[in-house]
Amino acid sequence: MDTLQILEDLQKRAQEDEEFRKLLMETRKAEKPLEAFCCKCRELGYPLYEMDLVSAGEDFYASMRRSTNGGGENSPKLEGEDDFYEMFFCAIQKF
């Protein structure tokens, strides 16, 4: 299971199970929230590490830049679209 599949599975589960969502949201209060989130994911059986999230975002961003205008200076600047960790929490956050 790759990083995106893990995040999709976590998101689906968090949207269906309020207690699971709260468990993941609690990690945001930790001194090192990314580390706490990944540790909690591993406790829950999802093999997710900090560098997995960082690398997935950077790989996605690099792919996007290469796909537009040859990846040159005219490529669009992405604003947060490469931060899968933050995007995940935006998706499961309840307003």
Side-chain angles (χ1 to χ4, degrees):
M1 188 180 283
D2 70 14
T3 303
L4 292 178
Q5 290 171 323
I6 290 171
L7 291 174
E8 285 177 12
D9 192 47
L10 288 168
Q11 181 178 337
K12 181 179 179 200
R13 192 168 162 192
Q15 290 172 336
E16 294 171 352
D17 182 346
E18 182 65 19
E19 289 303 313
F20 185 77
R21 187 187 75 78
K22 287 180 183 177
L23 191 66
L24 296 178
M25 293 299 290
E26 274 297 308
T27 65
R28 303 278 284 178
K29 298 176 184 174
E31 184 177 328
K32 296 180 180 178
L34 177 61
E35 183 180 320
F37 172 69
C38 290
C39 184
K40 181 59 65 180
C41 289
R42 289 191 302 274
E43 287 175 16
L44 296 167
Y46 296 92
L48 188 64
Y49 294 86
E50 296 88 347
M51 283 310 299
D52 293 337
L53 284 174
V54 172
S55 178
E58 289 177 357
D59 291 347
F60 174 77
Y61 182 74
S63 176
M64 287 290 290
R65 290 203 40 107
R66 283 192 303 273
S67 71
T68 56
N69 298 326
E73 292 301 314
N74 294 327
S75 298
K77 299 255 186 230
L78 298 180
E79 303 259 345
E81 288 90 346
D82 61 334
D83 191 344
F84 289 170
Y85 172 75
E86 290 297 334
M87 288 173 36
F88 171 80
F89 279 101
C90 284
I92 70 165
Q93 185 175 1
K94 293 205 176 193
F95 298 96

